[in-house]
Each structure stands twice: as C-alpha cells, then as structure tokens.
Amino acid sequence: MNYAWLRNWQALPQGCATPAETAREELRLAGLDAGLREDAALGEGWEIVEEGGRPVVHGGSRGLLYGAYALMAARKTGLCLPRGVQQPRYTLRMIDCWDNPDGTIERGYAGRSLWFEGGRMAWQPERIAQLGRMLASVGLNVLCINNVNVGEEGARLITEDLPELARLAAAFRPFGVRLMVSIDFSQPLRYGVETADPLSPAVLAWWTARADAVWAAIPDFAGFLVKADSEHRPGPMTYGRSHAEGANMLARALAPHGGVLVWRAFVYNCLQDWRDTHTDRPMAAYETYAPLDGQFDDNVILQVKNGPFDFQVREPISPTFWAMPHTRLALEVQLAQEYTGQQIDLYAMNPMWREWQTELPVSLPAAVAAVSNLGRDENWCGHPFAAVNLYGFGRYAWDPEVSPEEVIRTWARLTYALPENQEDALCLMLLNSRSIYEQYTAPLGIGWMITPHNHYGPDPWGYEYSPWGTYHRADRSGIGIDRTEKGTGFTRQQPPEIAAKYADPAVCPDEQLLFYHRLPWDYVMRDGRTLARRILDDHREGVERVEAMAAVLRELELPEPDRSVALSRMERQLQNAANWRDIISDFVTRLSGVC
Ligand code: GCV
C-alpha cells in the first residue's frame, strides 16, 4: 500500500494504547537508536536533545509521538531537525471530512469514504492505522468524520451508531487523533422532543444526555461541529434565537466533559434574487456574527472560512476575523480543491496560506481546520501530489510561519527519491501551481465563472441568474461589483488600513481588482494594457504555463503508479486550461468588442 509521504516506512506499530507507546514502537520498528523521556509539562510539545551520544525525545505523550516522527522524517530526508522546544501554535488542528454514511463524500475527489459504506460504519483497520500515522506525523490531532450537511443516517452517529463510533475512536487513539462529529441542530425532533428551540429546557436536557452518553463511550472525544441556518440546514433562527444562543446551549451540554463546540460561520442568503444589487453575499458572515462578539461561551469556537465567499482561488481575508476580538475563532481552509482544480489540476496551498499572513496576524485565529482531501483511493488524495496539501496543512497548523519552500521540499523528499534537479523542478512546479491555476481560471480577482454545482471548468453565465449571490455582472459597459463605500460597502467591514489598500482601483493590487471594483473593459491597467486585453492575455499565458509544467512533469522519474496518474491528470489539466482560455476569451471578446 502506497501511503503518501510515508511510503516505504516500516510496518505499522501494533497493540499500542497511547501515543507514547506508539512512539516507542515506531522507533523500535525503524531501528532508530533513540530514547524517549515523558515530560507531561511539555504537553503536545517536544524537544530532541543529544544525550550519551544518541537523540532523546522529550515530550508529553503526544509530544513524544510528534518528536519521534520528526526524528524519523529527518533521518529519511537528511534535512535538519529544529532546535529547542517545539510547541504547536494552535491547540485544535483539525481535519473536517464531508463524508456521508452512504460512502460518498461531498466535494470529495479521492474516492469513497474511508469509514462509511451503505449507511453504516465500515473500515479497514490497516488503512485507519496508516491514516492515524499520517495525521500524527504532521501533528494533526482532531478528525471530524462526517459531513456538516448531516442527514438522517449521519445523525445516528451519536445515538444508535455510537458503539461503532467508539470503535473508530479507539483505532485512532494510539496516534493521538481525537474524533469529532457534525451534528444536526434539529436532531431532538427525531427523538420525541417537540422543539429544537435552544432555549427550551427539554432541548438542553436532550443534548446533555447525549453528550453524557458520547463521553461515556469515548472519554477523549473532542466535540461537535455544527452548520446551522446555512444552505437550508436547520438552526436557531427558525426559533427566532441568535447563533450565540444556539451555540451556547450545545456548548453547555459539552462543557462538563471538556468538549468544544465548533460552530461554522458560513451563513448567507442562498435564495437571493439576482436582480437585487444591494445584497452582497461576502458581507453576510460579518453582518450575522460581528454583533454577537463576546456572547459565545468559552468552549465555543466560531469557524470562519478564510474568505467571505467560499474557498475561491483569490478572495480577501474574511473581515469577520477582525470583528470578534472576544470570541475564539478558527480559520477554515479547504484542502479538497472544490473550486481550485479538484485534485486534477495542480494547486499547492502553503504559499497561499503564507501570503494571507501579510494581512491576517497568525494570532487572530485560536484554531485551524481544513476540509479534507482524503478518500479511499490508493494514493489517498486522488492526485499523488495533492497529498502535499494534507501534509502542508499539518505543518502550517503547527507553525503557520513555516516557509512554503521548506514544506514542499520536505514533502517531496519524504515522498520521492528524485535526483536533485528533478526534485527542484517538482518543488518549483508546486510553488507556482496556484498562480498558474489563477491565471487561466480567474485572473484579476473575478470569481464565479465556474460551472455551477460541480465547480470544475468554465461557465461564465452559469451563476449569473442563480440564487447563490455569486455574480460578476458583466455586460457591455464592464465587469465586476463596486464593493467600496460608494458601492455595497464591503470595505467598511475591513480594518481601515486594509480597506485603504483596495478601495482605490489605481492602487488596488491587480489580483483583487475585480473583487472590489466595477471597471469598463477599456480601463487602462498600470501596465498600460486595457482590462479586456489583460484578461485575454492572462488566460493565454496561463495555458502556456500549464504546457511548460506538463513538459517538466514528463521528465520526472516518478515511481509508478504516481507517474501515470500524474501524467493523465496533467492531460486533463491541459484540457481544462484550454477550455477556460477559449470560453472566457470568447465571452470577453463578445461583450467588450476587443479582439
Ligand atoms: C458541505 C460550499 C460547498 C458545499 C458545502 C458548503 C459548506 O457551498 O459547495 O458543498 O457543503 O460550501 O461549506 O458548508
């Protein structure tokens, strides 16, 4: 079995109960002469010191495991170990799986679920252990196993299917990975409670009893994740209650067990009339949550998507991050490349996450979560290179300031044993992959020209008359939406120093120009080209850059089956890029008259 960046590692450890035991067994199986010294004070942190001529890992139980994996990775790659005590920046480092009990995965591009099939939980113990090892090897510590769109069967995880959930939790426990589940806010209604109103004592009693049962079965359970009042999901608004009232009710049921309640802030009007030009979807989360700052209980974490839209190739940072200083926030990113190539087109994310830090201080979120790109495919992530994002997210969650170059280099070296010049070429390809994808799909910050629903390939009119609030409003006079003070006022939600960077088209960075501004086709850009000409040129250059990547890829001596999979996916990427170029160029040419 090929397991991503841990290919060729020794046999899996067996019969371990705790991360510390796993650490000991991993070092033994790897034949590494290294010591382990448990020091609970270090918690999840670790330090490796030379004692009596051999390395000794110091750490709490999980810290020992993370340190042992760091030592093993350093031995494999020849890269240096960091010095001093290593502590994670975020305590909650979570992967959110959108797996459905029928075995499908919402926005999943790597095969079927690893733990659901036919409405039940079912898994191969070997794969779960491999996954536990992979997650722990990059310090990831929480796994939410089911779709936030919880259906009838998903809701059973904390009732009828609880014994199965407990078995899965036990399988991940030796790797220090704690489970979480998504719950349905209206679930008490299915169990004879007459309402799901969060202020009803009967509702709190129902959730309290459920939480007691869950923690009795799984003492280290992490908590619940909730998508409420979002895209037709039930929530407190049905009862005229606020999201703070809804979240706090659940949080109080979890608090005695030390559980966290992760509440998603992905709320907007998904039934917008496209003729309504006043409602501006990216403003919705701020409008809903900023007034609630300070009202959430301590064990609530509000999980905010990185951008105010929805995981587009380029968006501003969600203004909600600056609006809630008295609330614990989690930054939510998406590893599944729903809008960014679906694990067919190359798209490495660490450079993008790092770039956000020019505006978003790493200390603003209290936690990080990523929508999973995992599935039952032999190579785990569909494209063999898509695993760089799972690996990279773990590294980022531990240390958001880690350099993308280092992350990609280490992943490449752990995964393959390529000659140096080929490893360099692979790393460069991945480092540039996001900017290339952006150039052939959505240059200048114009989003939502993607094919509706399946979100792969171009369809510039596709979302224009839809209810989803995702419009570019292109016509003969120009393209884009004015989101400044003179327009929808989105910039008023941003800190003034950030708004100032974007509010004037003359200074606004090109990458975000059409998110913030509506401009005529003959608008003259800073480089002297008209807007229309620049869009046409970008799409053409984007395709040329994919062609150059394809040429590099063909020369890489990758092992099989990775080589064949990567090459065949590159053919699809070439086709996709050409489609984007041709369809968007035709669209722009017809509207603008430029050719
Ligand atoms: C799980 C987007 C996706 C949906 C997803 C939703 C969310 O709208 O297209 O598939 O639903 O985000 O994040 O809840």
Side-chain angles (χ1 to χ4, degrees):
M1 174 64 75
N2 154 13
Y3 51 115
W5 60 92
L6 301 186
R7 72 175 65 225
N8 305 328
W9 277 34
Q10 70 280 356
L12 283 159
Q14 305 287 335
C16 302
T18 63
E21 285 177 32
T22 308
R24 179 154 292 108
E25 192 57 5
E26 288 280 27
L27 291 175
R28 190 187 68 76
L29 290 165
L32 266 177
D33 180 20
L36 292 172
R37 187 145 317 134
E38 193 153 351
D39 177 355
L42 286 175
E44 291 193 304
W46 54 270
E47 182 177 18
I48 297 175
V49 280
E50 203 70 16
E51 283 174 24
R54 64 176 198 151
V56 176
V57 185
H58 294 240
S61 181
R62 267 196 237 144
L64 289 180
L65 186 59
Y66 300 151
Y69 284 137
L71 191 60
M72 289 158 64
R75 289 288 157 95
K76 285 268 176 222
T77 58
L79 297 167
C80 295
L81 274 167
R83 288 174 194 279
V85 176
Q86 307 299 309
Q87 285 290 354
R89 163 67 76 152
Y90 303 112
T91 48
L92 186 77
R93 305 179 298 281
M94 167 154 109
I95 297 292
D96 293 353
C97 301
W98 288 353
D99 292 28
N100 299 309
D102 67 2
T104 59
I105 301 180
E106 180 152 349
R107 312 302 177 186
Y109 310 105
R112 297 177 69 77
S113 170
L114 285 153
W115 39 77
F116 291 125
E117 197 50 77
R120 300 205 52 80
M121 297 197 74
W123 64 84
Q124 289 180 3
E126 167 109 357
R127 285 211 90 175
I128 297 303
Q130 287 168 349
L131 179 57
R133 180 193 252 182
M134 279 166 58
L135 298 177
S137 78
V138 283
L140 293 166
N141 63 1
V142 172
L143 187 68
C144 183
I145 65 161
N146 64 317
N147 193 350
V148 287
N149 294 326
V150 184
E152 185 85 32
E153 288 167 332
R156 287 206 308 252
L157 282 171
I158 55 166
T159 54
E160 291 90 324
D161 294 346
L162 184 53
E164 288 298 293
L165 184 67
R167 284 210 308 124
L168 187 65
F172 278 110
R173 188 165 295 124
F175 298 95
V177 175
R178 299 160 72 209
L179 295 194
M180 187 176 277
V181 294
S182 301
I183 54 121
D184 175 349
F185 193 80
S186 67
Q187 192 164 353
L189 297 176
R190 296 202 187 96
Y191 292 84
V193 183
E194 282 179 1
T195 175
D197 181 346
L199 297 196
S200 153
V203 172
L204 176 61
W206 190 87
W207 283 110
T208 302
R210 267 307 92 208
D212 292 349
V214 170
W215 266 271
I218 311 170
D220 60 353
F221 195 67
F224 293 158
L225 173 65
V226 190
K227 172 177 178 177
D229 292 314
S230 164
E231 298 184 334
H232 312 296
R233 306 312 303 163
M237 286 176 176
T238 311
Y239 305 93
R241 310 300 184 196
S242 76
H243 275 223
E245 288 169 317
N248 291 344
M249 179 274 296
L250 289 165
R252 284 166 200 165
L254 273 48
H257 308 286
V260 292
L261 193 272
V262 183
W263 187 270
R264 293 178 88 228
F266 183 54
V267 170
Y268 66 98
N269 175 12
C270 63
L271 293 173
Q272 186 174 334
D273 183 337
W274 64 272
R275 300 168 194 86
D276 164 9
T277 53
H278 298 289
T279 306
D280 190 18
R281 171 169 160 180
M283 298 173 72
Y286 180 103
E287 284 162 357
T288 306
Y289 294 99
L292 300 179
D293 186 33
Q295 295 182 27
F296 290 95
D297 283 5
D298 289 348
N299 63 330
V300 175
I301 295 182
L302 190 66
Q303 186 166 294
V304 183
K305 287 191 181 184
N306 63 271
F309 261 132
D310 190 9
F311 302 136
Q312 301 299 289
V313 57
R314 176 80 61 173
E315 292 185 52
I317 306 290
S318 176
T320 308
F321 284 106
W322 287 275
M324 306 194 67
H326 307 293
T327 307
R328 289 171 77 200
L329 301 175
L331 170 69
E332 179 177 339
V333 303
Q334 193 192 47
L335 308 181
Q337 300 160 231
E338 175 180 353
Y339 296 96
T340 54
Q342 304 198 349
Q343 296 159 227
I344 300 164
D345 299 30
L346 295 181
Y347 194 101
M349 298 182 180
N350 280 80
M352 175 174 79
W353 300 329
R354 190 78 173 93
E355 176 191 298
W356 296 341
Q357 287 165 19
T358 55
E359 288 180 2
L360 183 72
V362 296
S363 56
L364 262 190
V368 283
V371 178
S372 162
N373 60 356
L374 286 158
R376 214 184 292 167
D377 276 5
E378 170 83 8
N379 66 19
W380 299 91
C381 298
H383 194 303
F385 301 169
V388 76
N389 290 326
L390 182 64
Y391 173 86
F393 177 69
R395 296 287 309 272
Y396 170 84
W398 188 277
D399 173 11
E401 282 156 313
V402 65
S403 103
E405 287 79 7
E406 189 208 315
V407 170
I408 290 173
R409 170 79 56 187
T410 313
W411 169 83
R413 198 167 290 181
L414 277 169
T415 308
Y416 302 116
L418 292 171
E420 199 179 317
N421 62 335
Q422 294 189 27
E423 186 180 286
D424 289 349
L426 173 59
C427 293
L428 192 63
M429 188 190 298
L430 291 171
L431 279 168
N432 290 333
S433 56
R434 185 257 188 146
S435 112
I436 295 173
Y437 184 86
E438 178 175 26
Q439 202 175 12
Y440 67 75
T441 60
L444 309 183
I446 195 72
W448 301 106
M449 290 197 174
I450 205 145
T451 305
H453 312 303
N454 86 342
H455 298 161
Y456 190 79
D459 183 353
W461 291 119
Y463 270 120
E464 214 40 22
Y465 306 109
S466 79
W468 297 96
T470 45
Y471 315 113
H472 51 68
R473 304 212 184 268
D475 63 18
R476 285 190 305 165
S477 74
I479 182 169
I481 291 176
D482 182 349
R483 293 195 161 95
T484 67
E485 302 247 359
K486 288 187 254 106
T488 67
F490 172 84
T491 52
R492 267 198 296 270
Q493 296 184 343
Q494 296 176 305
E497 65 281 11
I498 293 191
K501 285 165 60 179
Y502 301 102
D504 174 359
V507 296
C508 180
D510 288 354
E511 311 84 71
Q512 304 235 34
L513 194 60
L514 295 176
F515 176 90
Y516 286 96
H517 300 284
R518 175 170 187 82
L519 296 170
W521 295 109
D522 60 0
Y523 176 79
V524 180
M525 307 277 296
R526 279 186 292 269
D527 67 9
R529 286 179 281 179
T530 63
L531 178 71
R533 170 52 49 206
R534 177 64 190 276
I535 296 174
L536 300 179
D537 287 353
D538 271 347
H539 282 279
R540 183 179 37 73
E541 281 166 28
V543 176
E544 288 165 6
R545 291 170 78 196
V546 182
E547 286 164 350
M549 280 204 296
V552 172
L553 183 67
R554 287 185 200 109
E555 299 305 313
L556 297 187
E557 295 163 59
L558 298 168
E560 289 294 354
D562 289 21
R563 182 175 156 78
S564 302
V565 176
L567 285 174
S568 70
R569 290 193 177 214
M570 180 54 85
E571 288 307 311
R572 293 165 71 186
Q573 179 168 5
L574 280 164
Q575 187 63 53
N576 189 34
N579 282 342
W580 276 96
R581 177 198 57 202
D582 296 343
I583 290 174
I584 304 301
S585 300
D586 184 66
F587 170 84
V588 170
T589 306
R590 288 190 198 198
L591 283 180
S592 68
V594 172
C595 50

